[in-house]
Amino acid sequence: MISEPVTKLLVAQVAHELGAHQTYMGISLHFERQSLKGWARFFHGQSVEEAGHAAKIIEFLLDNDVTFTLPQVGGAPTAYASAREAVETALGSEIRVTGQFDALATAARDAGDHRSLQFLQWFIEEQVEEERTMRALLDLIDSGINLFQAESHLEGITG
Ligand SMILES: [Fe+2]
Ligand SMILES: [Fe+2]
């Protein structure tokens, strides 16, 4: 059994992860419009990862026999004023998600819900990597490199 407050937050987190999935899909489309195929592919990959996070939480809820309704997910823009603005949006999203997992871990700890606490560790670690990736992209943009030339550096950023 997992605790009631954690269950509620986990169901909400499914929507947050799917929201991030949408946000990244939108950012990918922003780059697609500008023929920046490498950037588009990068954010499409991030988008797929976020959907995977939602699936991972759903699996945990099913494993623990929780009955739930899938929460509503908001929309996301597909055009930004600049690459920097798009990546800042992504970093902002990651920082928000980090806060959500902190709140989840606090709730699990307070409820003595060790099963959830254990489950959450993976996400807490993952957030360190996700924030770092977005900061690295901002550094890349701020270097002043041409966005087309920057595409050859994208792979190294997550690797
Ligand atoms: Fe995520
Ligand atoms: Fe993420």
Side-chain angles (χ1 to χ4, degrees), residues 10-11 13-19 21 47-63 68 70 101 119 122-123:
L10 281 174
V11 172
Q13 196 61 36
V14 170
H16 300 324
E17 298 297 332
L18 292 176
H21 163 75
S47 169
V48 170
E49 268 189 32
E50 298 300 346
H53 296 166
K56 203 175 167 83
I57 295 168
I58 288 169
E59 191 189 351
F60 182 70
L61 292 169
L62 289 181
D63 285 348
F68 61 96
L70 284 170
F101 280 109
F119 171 72
W122 184 88
F123 286 94

Side-chain angles (χ1 to χ4, degrees), residues 23-37:
T23 297
Y24 286 148
M25 189 66 85
I27 292 173
S28 173
L29 294 173
H30 160 83
F31 285 119
E32 192 81 52
R33 285 180 203 287
Q34 303 183 328
S35 308
L36 289 161
K37 292 275 179 197

Side-chain angles (χ1 to χ4, degrees), residues 97-119:
V97 169
T98 297
Q100 288 155 359
F101 280 109
D102 280 341
L104 264 158
T106 301
R109 189 202 57 201
D110 291 352
D113 183 347
H114 294 273
R115 179 182 290 216
S116 297
L117 201 52
Q118 178 76 22
F119 171 72

